[in-house]
Amino acid sequence: MTDVELTVYPDSCDAFGHLNQASVLTLFERARWDLIGRGPGTDLFRRHGVWPAVRRAELDYQSPAFPGDVLQFDVEVLHRGRTSFSMRQVARQKESKAIVADGTFTFVLIDATGKPVPIPEGVAQGFRQAGIILPAERITVNGVGLVVERWGSGTPVLFLHGFPLDRSLWRPLEDRLSALSGIAPDLRGFGDSDAPDVGYSMATYARDMIALLDTLKIESVVLCGLSMGGYIAFEMLRQARNRVQGLILISTQATPDDQASQSTRDRMATSIRERGVEVLSETMLPLLLGHLGNDQPGSLQPIVRDVIDRTPLAGALGALIALRDRPDSRPLLPTLEGLPTLVLGGALDRITPPPVIEGLASEIPGAEFEIMEGVGHLGPIEDPDQTAHLVGEFLGVRNETNNPI
Ligand code: MLT
């Protein structure tokens, strides 16, 4: 974007009247702060207990500038790492559009002790407010690149989205649950993650998640799975129970597909092969949302449709096979005794209605159970306040419900 304009003053120029090379660096820095100042405010970093330290600066000086010239500054984030990001800034003459200088800067976010820290989601959101898009982190596990969104600090919670959605399902909870350490990946075949042609099953999704925890060096987590995310949570418990310190199941079930549901999955796969993934939103939107699923103003339909329509074809087809062939998780439930568990459902859910949720909760010894009023299948986006409140209370963390999304 080209929001920032700065004037070249004589005190920034050398004896020949050219904009001095060191002053160009200063102008780039001022342009960055101006942009942040106009968006989230220059205290953005301090609010999140971090500070951006320049680790590397590369400048390509392309043409001179003189006192009185007005320069425009474009900015674009090229790469996001766990604790760092690189940003390209281009300074152009406002009149002629000639490039004066083209710079790439790598920043590391550090805390008060100088230690690199993961980029807080609040900083990424502040950047968005300033028109700077910070791409999500990309982590390769089992040969597949997964895009992962992380925020907060505290108890690590791995958020597993449902079908056919992506990590954005959890975004409304991020500020509300900043007192925990959220990890929200796009599963393989969804959102911005890679979508291999083959290799989809609940066991594979679970293996990816365990490998992700290994890569992030996280020993154990609370699992929070919605619908298909719950099926994956069950699978993770079968594969690596020692990595799970708590369980939150939202709008999910332990029963496998019966024959009729398996045939529906096969028909759905044929339709999306013939007509594209858009068929999924036609079929699923009316089922996913409660009263916010209508076509009234404020409806969540367009937002959820966009997410569904972005699902890669291979990922959607693979997930349908994984859903169709998922194992029966009912035998696992009595063995979960001693694992702190919360089961949530939506009063208006048509996919896993309240009796299904209640049945699930009753089979897990000691599980807490709550039905959210006014909510369909997608509590985290339909009623983030209520969802964050229940999750926060279960985990004993304070919710920041006053923060804007
Ligand atoms: C989901 O939301 O993940 C799906 O409804 C799960 C399913 O179709 O079984």
PDB file of all heavy atoms in Angstrom, residues 303-321:
ATOM      1  N   ILE A 303     -19.422 -15.417   4.929  1.00  0.00           N
ATOM      2  CA  ILE A 303     -18.076 -15.671   5.474  1.00  0.00           C
ATOM      3  C   ILE A 303     -17.782 -17.174   5.416  1.00  0.00           C
ATOM      4  O   ILE A 303     -16.711 -17.600   4.961  1.00  0.00           O
ATOM      5  CB  ILE A 303     -18.005 -15.177   6.942  1.00  0.00           C
ATOM      6  CG1 ILE A 303     -18.171 -13.662   6.970  1.00  0.00           C
ATOM      7  CG2 ILE A 303     -16.706 -15.599   7.618  1.00  0.00           C
ATOM      8  CD1 ILE A 303     -18.345 -13.073   8.352  1.00  0.00           C
ATOM      9  N   VAL A 304     -18.750 -17.974   5.843  1.00  0.00           N
ATOM     10  CA  VAL A 304     -18.508 -19.426   5.876  1.00  0.00           C
ATOM     11  C   VAL A 304     -18.442 -19.969   4.443  1.00  0.00           C
ATOM     12  O   VAL A 304     -17.617 -20.841   4.134  1.00  0.00           O
ATOM     13  CB  VAL A 304     -19.597 -20.140   6.716  1.00  0.00           C
ATOM     14  CG1 VAL A 304     -19.367 -21.642   6.723  1.00  0.00           C
ATOM     15  CG2 VAL A 304     -19.594 -19.609   8.139  1.00  0.00           C
ATOM     16  N   ARG A 305     -19.267 -19.393   3.530  1.00  0.00           N
ATOM     17  CA  ARG A 305     -19.220 -19.852   2.137  1.00  0.00           C
ATOM     18  C   ARG A 305     -17.832 -19.623   1.545  1.00  0.00           C
ATOM     19  O   ARG A 305     -17.275 -20.499   0.886  1.00  0.00           O
ATOM     20  CB  ARG A 305     -20.278 -19.132   1.293  1.00  0.00           C
ATOM     21  CG  ARG A 305     -20.247 -19.622  -0.162  1.00  0.00           C
ATOM     22  CD  ARG A 305     -21.258 -18.968  -1.061  1.00  0.00           C
ATOM     23  NE  ARG A 305     -22.599 -19.476  -0.829  1.00  0.00           N
ATOM     24  CZ  ARG A 305     -23.590 -18.786  -0.288  1.00  0.00           C
ATOM     25  NH1 ARG A 305     -23.389 -17.521   0.065  1.00  0.00           N
ATOM     26  NH2 ARG A 305     -24.771 -19.321  -0.093  1.00  0.00           N
ATOM     27  N   ASP A 306     -17.263 -18.446   1.828  1.00  0.00           N
ATOM     28  CA  ASP A 306     -15.912 -18.140   1.306  1.00  0.00           C
ATOM     29  C   ASP A 306     -14.909 -19.178   1.769  1.00  0.00           C
ATOM     30  O   ASP A 306     -14.062 -19.629   0.996  1.00  0.00           O
ATOM     31  CB  ASP A 306     -15.441 -16.776   1.826  1.00  0.00           C
ATOM     32  CG  ASP A 306     -15.934 -15.653   0.942  1.00  0.00           C
ATOM     33  OD1 ASP A 306     -16.633 -15.955  -0.045  1.00  0.00           O
ATOM     34  OD2 ASP A 306     -15.637 -14.484   1.255  1.00  0.00           O
ATOM     35  N   VAL A 307     -14.996 -19.531   3.053  1.00  0.00           N
ATOM     36  CA  VAL A 307     -14.042 -20.510   3.605  1.00  0.00           C
ATOM     37  C   VAL A 307     -14.234 -21.853   2.900  1.00  0.00           C
ATOM     38  O   VAL A 307     -13.267 -22.486   2.452  1.00  0.00           O
ATOM     39  CB  VAL A 307     -14.231 -20.661   5.136  1.00  0.00           C
ATOM     40  CG1 VAL A 307     -13.365 -21.786   5.671  1.00  0.00           C
ATOM     41  CG2 VAL A 307     -13.917 -19.350   5.852  1.00  0.00           C
ATOM     42  N   ILE A 308     -15.485 -22.282   2.779  1.00  0.00           N
ATOM     43  CA  ILE A 308     -15.753 -23.599   2.157  1.00  0.00           C
ATOM     44  C   ILE A 308     -15.277 -23.597   0.707  1.00  0.00           C
ATOM     45  O   ILE A 308     -14.621 -24.541   0.252  1.00  0.00           O
ATOM     46  CB  ILE A 308     -17.260 -23.934   2.222  1.00  0.00           C
ATOM     47  CG1 ILE A 308     -17.718 -24.048   3.679  1.00  0.00           C
ATOM     48  CG2 ILE A 308     -17.561 -25.223   1.459  1.00  0.00           C
ATOM     49  CD1 ILE A 308     -19.205 -24.310   3.860  1.00  0.00           C
ATOM     50  N   ASP A 309     -15.572 -22.512  -0.013  1.00  0.00           N
ATOM     51  CA  ASP A 309     -15.238 -22.473  -1.444  1.00  0.00           C
ATOM     52  C   ASP A 309     -13.733 -22.462  -1.702  1.00  0.00           C
ATOM     53  O   ASP A 309     -13.289 -22.754  -2.809  1.00  0.00           O
ATOM     54  CB  ASP A 309     -15.906 -21.262  -2.116  1.00  0.00           C
ATOM     55  CG  ASP A 309     -17.423 -21.430  -2.186  1.00  0.00           C
ATOM     56  OD1 ASP A 309     -17.910 -22.527  -1.855  1.00  0.00           O
ATOM     57  OD2 ASP A 309     -18.122 -20.464  -2.563  1.00  0.00           O
ATOM     58  N   ARG A 310     -12.966 -22.104  -0.678  1.00  0.00           N
ATOM     59  CA  ARG A 310     -11.498 -22.097  -0.833  1.00  0.00           C
ATOM     60  C   ARG A 310     -10.878 -23.479  -0.633  1.00  0.00           C
ATOM     61  O   ARG A 310      -9.686 -23.674  -0.848  1.00  0.00           O
ATOM     62  CB  ARG A 310     -10.885 -21.160   0.240  1.00  0.00           C
ATOM     63  CG  ARG A 310     -10.675 -19.738  -0.224  1.00  0.00           C
ATOM     64  CD  ARG A 310     -10.376 -18.775   0.900  1.00  0.00           C
ATOM     65  NE  ARG A 310      -9.698 -19.302   2.073  1.00  0.00           N
ATOM     66  CZ  ARG A 310      -8.381 -19.391   2.217  1.00  0.00           C
ATOM     67  NH1 ARG A 310      -7.568 -19.024   1.252  1.00  0.00           N
ATOM     68  NH2 ARG A 310      -7.861 -19.844   3.325  1.00  0.00           N
ATOM     69  N   THR A 311     -11.692 -24.438  -0.180  1.00  0.00           N
ATOM     70  CA  THR A 311     -11.139 -25.770   0.101  1.00  0.00           C
ATOM     71  C   THR A 311     -10.604 -26.397  -1.187  1.00  0.00           C
ATOM     72  O   THR A 311     -11.335 -26.500  -2.179  1.00  0.00           O
ATOM     73  CB  THR A 311     -12.236 -26.692   0.700  1.00  0.00           C
ATOM     74  OG1 THR A 311     -12.854 -26.007   1.779  1.00  0.00           O
ATOM     75  CG2 THR A 311     -11.650 -28.009   1.189  1.00  0.00           C
ATOM     76  N   PRO A 312      -9.338 -26.847  -1.176  1.00  0.00           N
ATOM     77  CA  PRO A 312      -8.815 -27.493  -2.388  1.00  0.00           C
ATOM     78  C   PRO A 312      -9.602 -28.779  -2.682  1.00  0.00           C
ATOM     79  O   PRO A 312      -9.976 -29.503  -1.757  1.00  0.00           O
ATOM     80  CB  PRO A 312      -7.366 -27.825  -2.027  1.00  0.00           C
ATOM     81  CG  PRO A 312      -7.044 -26.987  -0.837  1.00  0.00           C
ATOM     82  CD  PRO A 312      -8.336 -26.735  -0.120  1.00  0.00           C
ATOM     83  N   LEU A 313      -9.823 -29.042  -3.969  1.00  0.00           N
ATOM     84  CA  LEU A 313     -10.614 -30.215  -4.366  1.00  0.00           C
ATOM     85  C   LEU A 313     -10.042 -31.508  -3.766  1.00  0.00           C
ATOM     86  O   LEU A 313     -10.783 -32.319  -3.187  1.00  0.00           O
ATOM     87  CB  LEU A 313     -10.661 -30.299  -5.906  1.00  0.00           C
ATOM     88  CG  LEU A 313     -11.452 -31.461  -6.472  1.00  0.00           C
ATOM     89  CD1 LEU A 313     -12.934 -31.350  -6.116  1.00  0.00           C
ATOM     90  CD2 LEU A 313     -11.296 -31.540  -7.994  1.00  0.00           C
ATOM     91  N   ALA A 314      -8.709 -31.665  -3.877  1.00  0.00           N
ATOM     92  CA  ALA A 314      -8.093 -32.908  -3.366  1.00  0.00           C
ATOM     93  C   ALA A 314      -8.323 -33.043  -1.868  1.00  0.00           C
ATOM     94  O   ALA A 314      -8.570 -34.145  -1.358  1.00  0.00           O
ATOM     95  CB  ALA A 314      -6.589 -32.912  -3.662  1.00  0.00           C
ATOM     96  N   GLY A 315      -8.273 -31.927  -1.158  1.00  0.00           N
ATOM     97  CA  GLY A 315      -8.468 -31.950   0.289  1.00  0.00           C
ATOM     98  C   GLY A 315      -9.900 -32.322   0.646  1.00  0.00           C
ATOM     99  O   GLY A 315     -10.141 -33.098   1.580  1.00  0.00           O
ATOM    100  N   ALA A 316     -10.862 -31.768  -0.099  1.00  0.00           N
ATOM    101  CA  ALA A 316     -12.275 -32.060   0.179  1.00  0.00           C
ATOM    102  C   ALA A 316     -12.563 -33.534  -0.100  1.00  0.00           C
ATOM    103  O   ALA A 316     -13.211 -34.220   0.702  1.00  0.00           O
ATOM    104  CB  ALA A 316     -13.164 -31.166  -0.675  1.00  0.00           C
ATOM    105  N   LEU A 317     -12.037 -34.038  -1.227  1.00  0.00           N
ATOM    106  CA  LEU A 317     -12.283 -35.454  -1.572  1.00  0.00           C
ATOM    107  C   LEU A 317     -11.627 -36.370  -0.540  1.00  0.00           C
ATOM    108  O   LEU A 317     -12.232 -37.354  -0.087  1.00  0.00           O
ATOM    109  CB  LEU A 317     -11.722 -35.759  -2.967  1.00  0.00           C
ATOM    110  CG  LEU A 317     -12.492 -35.112  -4.138  1.00  0.00           C
ATOM    111  CD1 LEU A 317     -11.720 -35.287  -5.439  1.00  0.00           C
ATOM    112  CD2 LEU A 317     -13.902 -35.694  -4.262  1.00  0.00           C
ATOM    113  N   GLY A 318     -10.405 -36.015  -0.160  1.00  0.00           N
ATOM    114  CA  GLY A 318      -9.687 -36.831   0.824  1.00  0.00           C
ATOM    115  C   GLY A 318     -10.417 -36.845   2.162  1.00  0.00           C
ATOM    116  O   GLY A 318     -10.546 -37.896   2.809  1.00  0.00           O
ATOM    117  N   ALA A 319     -10.919 -35.678   2.569  1.00  0.00           N
ATOM    118  CA  ALA A 319     -11.607 -35.588   3.870  1.00  0.00           C
ATOM    119  C   ALA A 319     -12.888 -36.412   3.845  1.00  0.00           C
ATOM    120  O   ALA A 319     -13.245 -37.039   4.854  1.00  0.00           O
ATOM    121  CB  ALA A 319     -11.909 -34.135   4.198  1.00  0.00           C
ATOM    122  N   LEU A 320     -13.570 -36.427   2.705  1.00  0.00           N
ATOM    123  CA  LEU A 320     -14.811 -37.214   2.635  1.00  0.00           C
ATOM    124  C   LEU A 320     -14.511 -38.699   2.846  1.00  0.00           C
ATOM    125  O   LEU A 320     -15.277 -39.410   3.512  1.00  0.00           O
ATOM    126  CB  LEU A 320     -15.514 -36.979   1.288  1.00  0.00           C
ATOM    127  CG  LEU A 320     -16.259 -35.632   1.211  1.00  0.00           C
ATOM    128  CD1 LEU A 320     -16.672 -35.315  -0.222  1.00  0.00           C
ATOM    129  CD2 LEU A 320     -17.486 -35.627   2.135  1.00  0.00           C
ATOM    130  N   ILE A 321     -13.389 -39.150   2.298  1.00  0.00           N
ATOM    131  CA  ILE A 321     -12.994 -40.553   2.519  1.00  0.00           C
ATOM    132  C   ILE A 321     -12.662 -40.764   3.996  1.00  0.00           C
ATOM    133  O   ILE A 321     -13.096 -41.740   4.621  1.00  0.00           O
ATOM    134  CB  ILE A 321     -11.776 -40.917   1.626  1.00  0.00           C
ATOM    135  CG1 ILE A 321     -12.195 -40.886   0.155  1.00  0.00           C
ATOM    136  CG2 ILE A 321     -11.191 -42.275   2.010  1.00  0.00           C
ATOM    137  CD1 ILE A 321     -11.048 -40.958  -0.826  1.00  0.00           C
TER     138      ILE A 321
END
